[in-house]
Amino acid sequence: MSSELSSLQEQILKLKEEKRAIILAHNYQRNEVQDIADFVGDSLELSRKAATIDCEMIVFCGVHFMAESASILSPDKTVLLPEAEALCPMADMIQVDSPRPVRTRFPGFENPPPYIFPPEFTLRDIKAKYPGVPVVAYVNTTADVKAESDICCTSANVVTVIESLPGDSVICIPDKNLSMWAARNTKKKVIAWDGYCNVHERVTVEDVKKAKAEHPGAVVVAHPECRIEVLDMADHVTSTSGMLRFCRTSPAAEFVIGTEIGLMHRLRKENPGKVFHALRKDMICPNMKKTTLASVLRAFRENVHVVKVPDHIRVPAKRALDRMLAIP
Ligand code: 13P
Ligand code: SF4
């Protein structure tokens, strides 16, 4: 490690102690940011940590909706997001009451669940069309969308969350790919939204065929934000921390990883004897990569950027998050 990096690390660790802070980092963060974090995990693990952690300040190395969730769950703590512009484009694809602009649709969208709402609608439109049908909000949503939803889910627990609800239908927002994958794994009718993660959506069937041809012995693992036809070709589908667990316990020695490449750091560190290939080398989330050690240091020094959700949104949003966290 360069002396510049180690000096940044030292300064961060000193301020962290002084401010009684905890650094949480998502599995997609830069390697050096993961390495200074107290806890690195997937969205579900990070929500659980944020709800139970004992500290005065949480510095959240991730994207805005994650810091918002931390603030919703721990309103008495100061939550800092080092990069104010670290946003999740998927979270912006659904609005409570003003429609998002219609963007270019991705081609090759097959095997849809029963109904997909197009972007010119709003969450309130979909709720009005299906009164009484519970709304499951992926954590990759803004706080006001969570506040209008019945329960949250992550990629790690979407099927369990859907199964926990009464009735035979659910509205699942905003990721159409996660919803289609959930629809495959539950008997309930899943009404989905036309949102997607542009990092995972770009993976095609051709990419999987190419990876399988180049690495014939490798096990293909994919994140449920990938297209359904890609998931159909994978050997295992799971969240980022699910991938870590799967690769650690699998007897296989070679894997093709279908998610943001930041996960490679932990996979390689925790499994030195195993080989990992990226399904596509350009699976890079620019928003996740905005946070650097320099921005973490600035966050501590300048107390920026405070993420705080107003109570009229926080209280109903917390109800949706708490319902999810109550499921074992
Ligand atoms: P998980 O780590 O929960 O699988 O989330 C993936 C993701 O895209 C977060 O933005
Ligand atoms: Fe959003 Fe996709 Fe980036 Fe996750 S990887 S923050 S879902 S754009």
Side-chain angles (χ1 to χ4, degrees), residues 26 28 63 65-66 87-91 138 140 196-200 225 259-260 284-288:
H26 187 265
Y28 295 160
V63 287
F65 74 82
M66 296 179 171
L87 302 167
C88 170
M90 189 206 301
Y138 194 24
N140 298 40
Y196 54 87
C197 161
N198 49 17
V199 178
H200 291 83
E225 288 175 11
T259 198
E260 213 275 353
I284 300 170
C285 174
N287 285 287
M288 283 284 181

mmCIF file with all atom_site columns, all heavy atoms in Angstrom, residues 26 28 63 65-66 87-91 138 140 196-200 225 259-260 284-288, ligand 2:
data_model
loop_
_atom_site.group_PDB
_atom_site.id
_atom_site.type_symbol
_atom_site.label_atom_id
_atom_site.label_alt_id
_atom_site.label_comp_id
_atom_site.label_asym_id
_atom_site.label_entity_id
_atom_site.label_seq_id
_atom_site.pdbx_PDB_ins_code
_atom_site.Cartn_x
_atom_site.Cartn_y
_atom_site.Cartn_z
_atom_site.occupancy
_atom_site.B_iso_or_equiv
_atom_site.pdbx_formal_charge
_atom_site.auth_seq_id
_atom_site.auth_comp_id
_atom_site.auth_asym_id
_atom_site.auth_atom_id
_atom_site.pdbx_PDB_model_num
ATOM   1   N  N   . HIS A 1 26  ? -20.574 -1.069  1.852   1.00 0.00 ? 26  HIS A N   1
ATOM   2   C  CA  . HIS A 1 26  ? -21.213 -2.098  1.033   1.00 0.00 ? 26  HIS A CA  1
ATOM   3   C  C   . HIS A 1 26  ? -20.130 -2.905  0.300   1.00 0.00 ? 26  HIS A C   1
ATOM   4   O  O   . HIS A 1 26  ? -19.025 -2.410  0.044   1.00 0.00 ? 26  HIS A O   1
ATOM   5   C  CB  . HIS A 1 26  ? -22.193 -1.462  0.021   1.00 0.00 ? 26  HIS A CB  1
ATOM   6   C  CG  . HIS A 1 26  ? -22.993 -2.494  -0.714  1.00 0.00 ? 26  HIS A CG  1
ATOM   7   N  ND1 . HIS A 1 26  ? -22.621 -2.981  -1.948  1.00 0.00 ? 26  HIS A ND1 1
ATOM   8   C  CD2 . HIS A 1 26  ? -24.111 -3.169  -0.351  1.00 0.00 ? 26  HIS A CD2 1
ATOM   9   C  CE1 . HIS A 1 26  ? -23.507 -3.911  -2.319  1.00 0.00 ? 26  HIS A CE1 1
ATOM   10  N  NE2 . HIS A 1 26  ? -24.418 -4.041  -1.375  1.00 0.00 ? 26  HIS A NE2 1
ATOM   11  N  N   . TYR A 1 28  ? -19.691 -3.460  -2.618  1.00 0.00 ? 28  TYR A N   1
ATOM   12  C  CA  . TYR A 1 28  ? -19.250 -2.903  -3.908  1.00 0.00 ? 28  TYR A CA  1
ATOM   13  C  C   . TYR A 1 28  ? -18.274 -1.742  -3.759  1.00 0.00 ? 28  TYR A C   1
ATOM   14  O  O   . TYR A 1 28  ? -17.859 -1.145  -4.751  1.00 0.00 ? 28  TYR A O   1
ATOM   15  C  CB  . TYR A 1 28  ? -20.452 -2.381  -4.700  1.00 0.00 ? 28  TYR A CB  1
ATOM   16  C  CG  . TYR A 1 28  ? -21.465 -3.406  -5.152  1.00 0.00 ? 28  TYR A CG  1
ATOM   17  C  CD1 . TYR A 1 28  ? -22.755 -3.014  -5.484  1.00 0.00 ? 28  TYR A CD1 1
ATOM   18  C  CD2 . TYR A 1 28  ? -21.151 -4.748  -5.276  1.00 0.00 ? 28  TYR A CD2 1
ATOM   19  C  CE1 . TYR A 1 28  ? -23.703 -3.927  -5.916  1.00 0.00 ? 28  TYR A CE1 1
ATOM   20  C  CE2 . TYR A 1 28  ? -22.103 -5.663  -5.694  1.00 0.00 ? 28  TYR A CE2 1
ATOM   21  C  CZ  . TYR A 1 28  ? -23.379 -5.256  -6.013  1.00 0.00 ? 28  TYR A CZ  1
ATOM   22  O  OH  . TYR A 1 28  ? -24.327 -6.150  -6.436  1.00 0.00 ? 28  TYR A OH  1
ATOM   23  N  N   . VAL A 1 63  ? -24.390 3.988   -1.127  1.00 0.00 ? 63  VAL A N   1
ATOM   24  C  CA  . VAL A 1 63  ? -25.149 4.999   -1.866  1.00 0.00 ? 63  VAL A CA  1
ATOM   25  C  C   . VAL A 1 63  ? -26.250 5.571   -0.962  1.00 0.00 ? 63  VAL A C   1
ATOM   26  O  O   . VAL A 1 63  ? -26.518 5.042   0.126   1.00 0.00 ? 63  VAL A O   1
ATOM   27  C  CB  . VAL A 1 63  ? -25.719 4.431   -3.189  1.00 0.00 ? 63  VAL A CB  1
ATOM   28  C  CG1 . VAL A 1 63  ? -24.620 4.229   -4.213  1.00 0.00 ? 63  VAL A CG1 1
ATOM   29  C  CG2 . VAL A 1 63  ? -26.483 3.144   -2.957  1.00 0.00 ? 63  VAL A CG2 1
ATOM   30  N  N   . PHE A 1 65  ? -29.534 5.727   -0.650  1.00 0.00 ? 65  PHE A N   1
ATOM   31  C  CA  . PHE A 1 65  ? -30.659 5.051   0.003   1.00 0.00 ? 65  PHE A CA  1
ATOM   32  C  C   . PHE A 1 65  ? -30.189 4.228   1.200   1.00 0.00 ? 65  PHE A C   1
ATOM   33  O  O   . PHE A 1 65  ? -30.948 4.003   2.159   1.00 0.00 ? 65  PHE A O   1
ATOM   34  C  CB  . PHE A 1 65  ? -31.457 4.185   -0.991  1.00 0.00 ? 65  PHE A CB  1
ATOM   35  C  CG  . PHE A 1 65  ? -30.792 2.893   -1.409  1.00 0.00 ? 65  PHE A CG  1
ATOM   36  C  CD1 . PHE A 1 65  ? -30.856 1.763   -0.604  1.00 0.00 ? 65  PHE A CD1 1
ATOM   37  C  CD2 . PHE A 1 65  ? -30.110 2.804   -2.610  1.00 0.00 ? 65  PHE A CD2 1
ATOM   38  C  CE1 . PHE A 1 65  ? -30.241 0.572   -0.988  1.00 0.00 ? 65  PHE A CE1 1
ATOM   39  C  CE2 . PHE A 1 65  ? -29.509 1.618   -3.000  1.00 0.00 ? 65  PHE A CE2 1
ATOM   40  C  CZ  . PHE A 1 65  ? -29.566 0.500   -2.184  1.00 0.00 ? 65  PHE A CZ  1
ATOM   41  N  N   . MET A 1 66  ? -28.943 3.765   1.176   1.00 0.00 ? 66  MET A N   1
ATOM   42  C  CA  . MET A 1 66  ? -28.416 2.960   2.284   1.00 0.00 ? 66  MET A CA  1
ATOM   43  C  C   . MET A 1 66  ? -28.214 3.840   3.529   1.00 0.00 ? 66  MET A C   1
ATOM   44  O  O   . MET A 1 66  ? -28.543 3.437   4.653   1.00 0.00 ? 66  MET A O   1
ATOM   45  C  CB  . MET A 1 66  ? -27.095 2.305   1.882   1.00 0.00 ? 66  MET A CB  1
ATOM   46  C  CG  . MET A 1 66  ? -27.258 1.328   0.743   1.00 0.00 ? 66  MET A CG  1
ATOM   47  S  SD  . MET A 1 66  ? -25.685 0.599   0.271   1.00 0.00 ? 66  MET A SD  1
ATOM   48  C  CE  . MET A 1 66  ? -26.291 -0.656  -0.856  1.00 0.00 ? 66  MET A CE  1
ATOM   49  N  N   . LEU A 1 87  ? -25.600 8.229   -5.675  1.00 0.00 ? 87  LEU A N   1
ATOM   50  C  CA  . LEU A 1 87  ? -27.034 7.905   -5.747  1.00 0.00 ? 87  LEU A CA  1
ATOM   51  C  C   . LEU A 1 87  ? -27.208 6.583   -6.479  1.00 0.00 ? 87  LEU A C   1
ATOM   52  O  O   . LEU A 1 87  ? -26.318 6.161   -7.219  1.00 0.00 ? 87  LEU A O   1
ATOM   53  C  CB  . LEU A 1 87  ? -27.766 9.016   -6.511  1.00 0.00 ? 87  LEU A CB  1
ATOM   54  C  CG  . LEU A 1 87  ? -27.617 10.420  -5.908  1.00 0.00 ? 87  LEU A CG  1
ATOM   55  C  CD1 . LEU A 1 87  ? -28.103 11.467  -6.903  1.00 0.00 ? 87  LEU A CD1 1
ATOM   56  C  CD2 . LEU A 1 87  ? -28.362 10.526  -4.598  1.00 0.00 ? 87  LEU A CD2 1
ATOM   57  N  N   . CYS A 1 88  ? -28.358 5.940   -6.287  1.00 0.00 ? 88  CYS A N   1
ATOM   58  C  CA  . CYS A 1 88  ? -28.638 4.713   -7.035  1.00 0.00 ? 88  CYS A CA  1
ATOM   59  C  C   . CYS A 1 88  ? -29.659 5.045   -8.123  1.00 0.00 ? 88  CYS A C   1
ATOM   60  O  O   . CYS A 1 88  ? -30.801 5.392   -7.793  1.00 0.00 ? 88  CYS A O   1
ATOM   61  C  CB  . CYS A 1 88  ? -29.199 3.643   -6.101  1.00 0.00 ? 88  CYS A CB  1
ATOM   62  S  SG  . CYS A 1 88  ? -29.844 2.218   -6.998  1.00 0.00 ? 88  CYS A SG  1
ATOM   63  N  N   . PRO A 1 89  ? -29.278 4.924   -9.404  1.00 0.00 ? 89  PRO A N   1
ATOM   64  C  CA  . PRO A 1 89  ? -30.243 5.264   -10.467 1.00 0.00 ? 89  PRO A CA  1
ATOM   65  C  C   . PRO A 1 89  ? -31.522 4.442   -10.375 1.00 0.00 ? 89  PRO A C   1
ATOM   66  O  O   . PRO A 1 89  ? -32.604 4.946   -10.667 1.00 0.00 ? 89  PRO A O   1
ATOM   67  C  CB  . PRO A 1 89  ? -29.485 4.949   -11.764 1.00 0.00 ? 89  PRO A CB  1
ATOM   68  C  CG  . PRO A 1 89  ? -28.038 4.950   -11.392 1.00 0.00 ? 89  PRO A CG  1
ATOM   69  C  CD  . PRO A 1 89  ? -27.964 4.553   -9.942  1.00 0.00 ? 89  PRO A CD  1
ATOM   70  N  N   . MET A 1 90  ? -31.412 3.176   -9.929  1.00 0.00 ? 90  MET A N   1
ATOM   71  C  CA  . MET A 1 90  ? -32.635 2.367   -9.829  1.00 0.00 ? 90  MET A CA  1
ATOM   72  C  C   . MET A 1 90  ? -33.612 2.965   -8.807  1.00 0.00 ? 90  MET A C   1
ATOM   73  O  O   . MET A 1 90  ? -34.831 2.978   -9.031  1.00 0.00 ? 90  MET A O   1
ATOM   74  C  CB  . MET A 1 90  ? -32.305 0.932   -9.421  1.00 0.00 ? 90  MET A CB  1
ATOM   75  C  CG  . MET A 1 90  ? -33.536 0.037   -9.532  1.00 0.00 ? 90  MET A CG  1
ATOM   76  S  SD  . MET A 1 90  ? -33.548 -1.386  -8.483  1.00 0.00 ? 90  MET A SD  1
ATOM   77  C  CE  . MET A 1 90  ? -32.139 -2.282  -8.944  1.00 0.00 ? 90  MET A CE  1
ATOM   78  N  N   . ALA A 1 91  ? -33.082 3.465   -7.703  1.00 0.00 ? 91  ALA A N   1
ATOM   79  C  CA  . ALA A 1 91  ? -33.958 4.040   -6.672  1.00 0.00 ? 91  ALA A CA  1
ATOM   80  C  C   . ALA A 1 91  ? -34.740 5.235   -7.210  1.00 0.00 ? 91  ALA A C   1
ATOM   81  O  O   . ALA A 1 91  ? -35.838 5.522   -6.743  1.00 0.00 ? 91  ALA A O   1
ATOM   82  C  CB  . ALA A 1 91  ? -33.128 4.447   -5.453  1.00 0.00 ? 91  ALA A CB  1
ATOM   83  N  N   . TYR A 1 138 ? -38.111 -2.906  -2.562  1.00 0.00 ? 138 TYR A N   1
ATOM   84  C  CA  . TYR A 1 138 ? -36.684 -3.240  -2.497  1.00 0.00 ? 138 TYR A CA  1
ATOM   85  C  C   . TYR A 1 138 ? -36.010 -2.120  -1.704  1.00 0.00 ? 138 TYR A C   1
ATOM   86  O  O   . TYR A 1 138 ? -36.421 -0.956  -1.818  1.00 0.00 ? 138 TYR A O   1
ATOM   87  C  CB  . TYR A 1 138 ? -36.165 -3.292  -3.930  1.00 0.00 ? 138 TYR A CB  1
ATOM   88  C  CG  . TYR A 1 138 ? -34.818 -3.925  -4.156  1.00 0.00 ? 138 TYR A CG  1
ATOM   89  C  CD1 . TYR A 1 138 ? -34.269 -4.856  -3.288  1.00 0.00 ? 138 TYR A CD1 1
ATOM   90  C  CD2 . TYR A 1 138 ? -34.075 -3.605  -5.311  1.00 0.00 ? 138 TYR A CD2 1
ATOM   91  C  CE1 . TYR A 1 138 ? -33.031 -5.437  -3.537  1.00 0.00 ? 138 TYR A CE1 1
ATOM   92  C  CE2 . TYR A 1 138 ? -32.846 -4.183  -5.579  1.00 0.00 ? 138 TYR A CE2 1
ATOM   93  C  CZ  . TYR A 1 138 ? -32.322 -5.090  -4.685  1.00 0.00 ? 138 TYR A CZ  1
ATOM   94  O  OH  . TYR A 1 138 ? -31.099 -5.660  -4.943  1.00 0.00 ? 138 TYR A OH  1
ATOM   95  N  N   . ASN A 1 140 ? -33.507 -0.653  -2.304  1.00 0.00 ? 140 ASN A N   1
ATOM   96  C  CA  . ASN A 1 140 ? -33.004 0.327   -3.276  1.00 0.00 ? 140 ASN A CA  1
ATOM   97  C  C   . ASN A 1 140 ? -34.147 1.257   -3.708  1.00 0.00 ? 140 ASN A C   1
ATOM   98  O  O   . ASN A 1 140 ? -34.545 1.312   -4.874  1.00 0.00 ? 140 ASN A O   1
ATOM   99  C  CB  . ASN A 1 140 ? -32.457 -0.385  -4.526  1.00 0.00 ? 140 ASN A CB  1
ATOM   100 C  CG  . ASN A 1 140 ? -31.287 -1.292  -4.243  1.00 0.00 ? 140 ASN A CG  1
ATOM   101 O  OD1 . ASN A 1 140 ? -31.281 -1.985  -3.227  1.00 0.00 ? 140 ASN A OD1 1
ATOM   102 N  ND2 . ASN A 1 140 ? -30.308 -1.312  -5.118  1.00 0.00 ? 140 ASN A ND2 1
ATOM   103 N  N   . TYR A 1 196 ? -34.700 -1.045  -13.121 1.00 0.00 ? 196 TYR A N   1
ATOM   104 C  CA  . TYR A 1 196 ? -33.582 -1.979  -13.300 1.00 0.00 ? 196 TYR A CA  1
ATOM   105 C  C   . TYR A 1 196 ? -32.287 -1.307  -12.838 1.00 0.00 ? 196 TYR A C   1
ATOM   106 O  O   . TYR A 1 196 ? -32.219 -0.079  -12.744 1.00 0.00 ? 196 TYR A O   1
ATOM   107 C  CB  . TYR A 1 196 ? -33.439 -2.416  -14.764 1.00 0.00 ? 196 TYR A CB  1
ATOM   108 C  CG  . TYR A 1 196 ? -33.326 -1.247  -15.699 1.00 0.00 ? 196 TYR A CG  1
ATOM   109 C  CD1 . TYR A 1 196 ? -32.097 -0.661  -15.974 1.00 0.00 ? 196 TYR A CD1 1
ATOM   110 C  CD2 . TYR A 1 196 ? -34.472 -0.678  -16.258 1.00 0.00 ? 196 TYR A CD2 1
ATOM   111 C  CE1 . TYR A 1 196 ? -32.005 0.444   -16.792 1.00 0.00 ? 196 TYR A CE1 1
ATOM   112 C  CE2 . TYR A 1 196 ? -34.385 0.426   -17.074 1.00 0.00 ? 196 TYR A CE2 1
ATOM   113 C  CZ  . TYR A 1 196 ? -33.143 0.988   -17.336 1.00 0.00 ? 196 TYR A CZ  1
ATOM   114 O  OH  . TYR A 1 196 ? -33.059 2.099   -18.126 1.00 0.00 ? 196 TYR A OH  1
ATOM   115 N  N   . CYS A 1 197 ? -31.286 -2.140  -12.572 1.00 0.00 ? 197 CYS A N   1
ATOM   116 C  CA  . CYS A 1 197 ? -29.946 -1.631  -12.259 1.00 0.00 ? 197 CYS A CA  1
ATOM   117 C  C   . CYS A 1 197 ? -29.148 -1.679  -13.547 1.00 0.00 ? 197 CYS A C   1
ATOM   118 O  O   . CYS A 1 197 ? -28.979 -2.762  -14.128 1.00 0.00 ? 197 CYS A O   1
ATOM   119 C  CB  . CYS A 1 197 ? -29.291 -2.519  -11.194 1.00 0.00 ? 197 CYS A CB  1
ATOM   120 S  SG  . CYS A 1 197 ? -27.506 -2.312  -11.136 1.00 0.00 ? 197 CYS A SG  1
ATOM   121 N  N   . ASN A 1 198 ? -28.648 -0.539  -13.981 1.00 0.00 ? 198 ASN A N   1
ATOM   122 C  CA  . ASN A 1 198 ? -27.961 -0.542  -15.278 1.00 0.00 ? 198 ASN A CA  1
ATOM   123 C  C   . ASN A 1 198 ? -26.630 -1.293  -15.254 1.00 0.00 ? 198 ASN A C   1
ATOM   124 O  O   . ASN A 1 198 ? -26.092 -1.634  -16.297 1.00 0.00 ? 198 ASN A O   1
ATOM   125 C  CB  . ASN A 1 198 ? -27.816 0.875   -15.847 1.00 0.00 ? 198 ASN A CB  1
ATOM   126 C  CG  . ASN A 1 198 ? -27.268 1.837   -14.833 1.00 0.00 ? 198 ASN A CG  1
ATOM   127 O  OD1 . ASN A 1 198 ? -26.703 1.414   -13.818 1.00 0.00 ? 198 ASN A OD1 1
ATOM   128 N  ND2 . ASN A 1 198 ? -27.435 3.121   -15.061 1.00 0.00 ? 198 ASN A ND2 1
ATOM   129 N  N   . VAL A 1 199 ? -26.111 -1.589  -14.074 1.00 0.00 ? 199 VAL A N   1
ATOM   130 C  CA  . VAL A 1 199 ? -24.859 -2.363  -13.997 1.00 0.00 ? 199 VAL A CA  1
ATOM   131 C  C   . VAL A 1 199 ? -25.144 -3.849  -14.273 1.00 0.00 ? 199 VAL A C   1
ATOM   132 O  O   . VAL A 1 199 ? -24.393 -4.523  -14.979 1.00 0.00 ? 199 VAL A O   1
ATOM   133 C  CB  . VAL A 1 199 ? -24.212 -2.195  -12.596 1.00 0.00 ? 199 VAL A CB  1
ATOM   134 C  CG1 . VAL A 1 199 ? -22.947 -3.016  -12.478 1.00 0.00 ? 199 VAL A CG1 1
ATOM   135 C  CG2 . VAL A 1 199 ? -23.957 -0.734  -12.303 1.00 0.00 ? 199 VAL A CG2 1
ATOM   136 N  N   . HIS A 1 200 ? -26.248 -4.354  -13.720 1.00 0.00 ? 200 HIS A N   1
ATOM   137 C  CA  . HIS A 1 200 ? -26.582 -5.774  -13.879 1.00 0.00 ? 200 HIS A CA  1
ATOM   138 C  C   . HIS A 1 200 ? -27.370 -6.040  -15.165 1.00 0.00 ? 200 HIS A C   1
ATOM   139 O  O   . HIS A 1 200 ? -27.245 -7.103  -15.765 1.00 0.00 ? 200 HIS A O   1
ATOM   140 C  CB  . HIS A 1 200 ? -27.381 -6.260  -12.664 1.00 0.00 ? 200 HIS A CB  1
ATOM   141 C  CG  . HIS A 1 200 ? -26.570 -6.328  -11.415 1.00 0.00 ? 200 HIS A CG  1
ATOM   142 N  ND1 . HIS A 1 200 ? -26.342 -5.244  -10.610 1.00 0.00 ? 200 HIS A ND1 1
ATOM   143 C  CD2 . HIS A 1 200 ? -25.900 -7.375  -10.837 1.00 0.00 ? 200 HIS A CD2 1
ATOM   144 C  CE1 . HIS A 1 200 ? -25.569 -5.598  -9.591  1.00 0.00 ? 200 HIS A CE1 1
ATOM   145 N  NE2 . HIS A 1 200 ? -25.298 -6.886  -9.698  1.00 0.00 ? 200 HIS A NE2 1
ATOM   146 N  N   . GLU A 1 225 ? -30.415 -9.049  -9.691  1.00 0.00 ? 225 GLU A N   1
ATOM   147 C  CA  . GLU A 1 225 ? -30.672 -7.844  -10.484 1.00 0.00 ? 225 GLU A CA  1
ATOM   148 C  C   . GLU A 1 225 ? -30.327 -8.061  -11.958 1.00 0.00 ? 225 GLU A C   1
ATOM   149 O  O   . GLU A 1 225 ? -30.571 -7.188  -12.796 1.00 0.00 ? 225 GLU A O   1
ATOM   150 C  CB  . GLU A 1 225 ? -29.881 -6.648  -9.930  1.00 0.00 ? 225 GLU A CB  1
ATOM   151 C  CG  . GLU A 1 225 ? -30.413 -6.131  -8.608  1.00 0.00 ? 225 GLU A CG  1
ATOM   152 C  CD  . GLU A 1 225 ? -29.566 -5.026  -7.999  1.00 0.00 ? 225 GLU A CD  1
ATOM   153 O  OE1 . GLU A 1 225 ? -28.671 -4.496  -8.688  1.00 0.00 ? 225 GLU A OE1 1
ATOM   154 O  OE2 . GLU A 1 225 ? -29.779 -4.700  -6.823  1.00 0.00 ? 225 GLU A OE2 1
ATOM   155 N  N   . THR A 1 259 ? -21.833 -10.028 -10.727 1.00 0.00 ? 259 THR A N   1
ATOM   156 C  CA  . THR A 1 259 ? -22.272 -8.834  -9.989  1.00 0.00 ? 259 THR A CA  1
ATOM   157 C  C   . THR A 1 259 ? -21.191 -7.770  -10.075 1.00 0.00 ? 259 THR A C   1
ATOM   158 O  O   . THR A 1 259 ? -20.143 -7.983  -10.702 1.00 0.00 ? 259 THR A O   1
ATOM   159 C  CB  . THR A 1 259 ? -22.648 -9.166  -8.520  1.00 0.00 ? 259 THR A CB  1
ATOM   160 O  OG1 . THR A 1 259 ? -23.444 -8.093  -8.009  1.00 0.00 ? 259 THR A OG1 1
ATOM   161 C  CG2 . THR A 1 259 ? -21.438 -9.361  -7.621  1.00 0.00 ? 259 THR A CG2 1
ATOM   162 N  N   . GLU A 1 260 ? -21.418 -6.631  -9.428  1.00 0.00 ? 260 GLU A N   1
ATOM   163 C  CA  . GLU A 1 260 ? -20.467 -5.522  -9.454  1.00 0.00 ? 260 GLU A CA  1
ATOM   164 C  C   . GLU A 1 260 ? -19.093 -6.018  -8.990  1.00 0.00 ? 260 GLU A C   1
ATOM   165 O  O   . GLU A 1 260 ? -19.006 -6.778  -8.011  1.00 0.00 ? 260 GLU A O   1
ATOM   166 C  CB  . GLU A 1 260 ? -21.008 -4.416  -8.508  1.00 0.00 ? 260 GLU A CB  1
ATOM   167 C  CG  . GLU A 1 260 ? -20.693 -3.021  -8.915  1.00 0.00 ? 260 GLU A CG  1
ATOM   168 C  CD  . GLU A 1 260 ? -19.349 -2.509  -8.468  1.00 0.00 ? 260 GLU A CD  1
ATOM   169 O  OE1 . GLU A 1 260 ? -18.661 -3.222  -7.680  1.00 0.00 ? 260 GLU A OE1 1
ATOM   170 O  OE2 . GLU A 1 260 ? -18.963 -1.410  -8.876  1.00 0.00 ? 260 GLU A OE2 1
ATOM   171 N  N   . ILE A 1 284 ? -19.298 -2.187  -13.230 1.00 0.00 ? 284 ILE A N   1
ATOM   172 C  CA  . ILE A 1 284 ? -18.778 -1.238  -12.239 1.00 0.00 ? 284 ILE A CA  1
ATOM   173 C  C   . ILE A 1 284 ? -19.862 -0.193  -11.979 1.00 0.00 ? 284 ILE A C   1
ATOM   174 O  O   . ILE A 1 284 ? -20.345 0.438   -12.924 1.00 0.00 ? 284 ILE A O   1
ATOM   175 C  CB  . ILE A 1 284 ? -17.497 -0.542  -12.770 1.00 0.00 ? 284 ILE A CB  1
ATOM   176 C  CG1 . ILE A 1 284 ? -16.425 -1.596  -13.069 1.00 0.00 ? 284 ILE A CG1 1
ATOM   177 C  CG2 . ILE A 1 284 ? -16.995 0.501   -11.781 1.00 0.00 ? 284 ILE A CG2 1
ATOM   178 C  CD1 . ILE A 1 284 ? -15.210 -1.069  -13.813 1.00 0.00 ? 284 ILE A CD1 1
ATOM   179 N  N   . CYS A 1 285 ? -20.236 -0.036  -10.730 1.00 0.00 ? 285 CYS A N   1
ATOM   180 C  CA  . CYS A 1 285 ? -21.252 0.968   -10.391 1.00 0.00 ? 285 CYS A CA  1
ATOM   181 C  C   . CYS A 1 285 ? -20.521 2.279   -10.083 1.00 0.00 ? 285 CYS A C   1
ATOM   182 O  O   . CYS A 1 285 ? -19.851 2.384   -9.053  1.00 0.00 ? 285 CYS A O   1
ATOM   183 C  CB  . CYS A 1 285 ? -22.068 0.522   -9.183  1.00 0.00 ? 285 CYS A CB  1
ATOM   184 S  SG  . CYS A 1 285 ? -23.209 1.803   -8.641  1.00 0.00 ? 285 CYS A SG  1
ATOM   185 N  N   . PRO A 1 286 ? -20.634 3.276   -10.964 1.00 0.00 ? 286 PRO A N   1
ATOM   186 C  CA  . PRO A 1 286 ? -19.889 4.526   -10.749 1.00 0.00 ? 286 PRO A CA  1
ATOM   187 C  C   . PRO A 1 286 ? -20.269 5.206   -9.446  1.00 0.00 ? 286 PRO A C   1
ATOM   188 O  O   . PRO A 1 286 ? -19.440 5.885   -8.827  1.00 0.00 ? 286 PRO A O   1
ATOM   189 C  CB  . PRO A 1 286 ? -20.271 5.403   -11.948 1.00 0.00 ? 286 PRO A CB  1
ATOM   190 C  CG  . PRO A 1 286 ? -21.217 4.631   -12.789 1.00 0.00 ? 286 PRO A CG  1
ATOM   191 C  CD  . PRO A 1 286 ? -21.506 3.305   -12.157 1.00 0.00 ? 286 PRO A CD  1
ATOM   192 N  N   . ASN A 1 287 ? -21.501 5.012   -9.014  1.00 0.00 ? 287 ASN A N   1
ATOM   193 C  CA  . ASN A 1 287 ? -21.933 5.653   -7.763  1.00 0.00 ? 287 ASN A CA  1
ATOM   194 C  C   . ASN A 1 287 ? -21.291 5.013   -6.544  1.00 0.00 ? 287 ASN A C   1
ATOM   195 O  O   . ASN A 1 287 ? -20.915 5.693   -5.591  1.00 0.00 ? 287 ASN A O   1
ATOM   196 C  CB  . ASN A 1 287 ? -23.460 5.608   -7.669  1.00 0.00 ? 287 ASN A CB  1
ATOM   197 C  CG  . ASN A 1 287 ? -24.075 6.617   -8.611  1.00 0.00 ? 287 ASN A CG  1
ATOM   198 O  OD1 . ASN A 1 287 ? -24.019 7.808   -8.351  1.00 0.00 ? 287 ASN A OD1 1
ATOM   199 N  ND2 . ASN A 1 287 ? -24.595 6.161   -9.735  1.00 0.00 ? 287 ASN A ND2 1
ATOM   200 N  N   . MET A 1 288 ? -21.159 3.694   -6.585  1.00 0.00 ? 288 MET A N   1
ATOM   201 C  CA  . MET A 1 288 ? -20.506 2.996   -5.478  1.00 0.00 ? 288 MET A CA  1
ATOM   202 C  C   . MET A 1 288 ? -19.021 3.363   -5.412  1.00 0.00 ? 288 MET A C   1
ATOM   203 O  O   . MET A 1 288 ? -18.412 3.310   -4.344  1.00 0.00 ? 288 MET A O   1
ATOM   204 C  CB  . MET A 1 288 ? -20.651 1.488   -5.657  1.00 0.00 ? 288 MET A CB  1
ATOM   205 C  CG  . MET A 1 288 ? -22.023 0.972   -5.282  1.00 0.00 ? 288 MET A CG  1
ATOM   206 S  SD  . MET A 1 288 ? -22.171 0.910   -3.485  1.00 0.00 ? 288 MET A SD  1
ATOM   207 C  CE  . MET A 1 288 ? -23.822 0.249   -3.311  1.00 0.00 ? 288 MET A CE  1
HETATM 208 FE FE1 . SF4 B 2 .   ? -27.945 0.975   -7.744  1.00 0.00 ? 2   SF4 B FE1 1
HETATM 209 FE FE2 . SF4 B 2 .   ? -27.063 -0.994  -9.303  1.00 0.00 ? 2   SF4 B FE2 1
HETATM 210 FE FE3 . SF4 B 2 .   ? -25.319 0.712   -8.264  1.00 0.00 ? 2   SF4 B FE3 1
HETATM 211 FE FE4 . SF4 B 2 .   ? -26.588 -1.067  -6.700  1.00 0.00 ? 2   SF4 B FE4 1
HETATM 212 S  S1  . SF4 B 2 .   ? -25.123 -1.514  -8.324  1.00 0.00 ? 2   SF4 B S1  1
HETATM 213 S  S2  . SF4 B 2 .   ? -26.258 1.119   -6.293  1.00 0.00 ? 2   SF4 B S2  1
HETATM 214 S  S3  . SF4 B 2 .   ? -28.572 -1.169  -7.710  1.00 0.00 ? 2   SF4 B S3  1
HETATM 215 S  S4  . SF4 B 2 .   ? -26.949 1.195   -9.743  1.00 0.00 ? 2   SF4 B S4  1
#
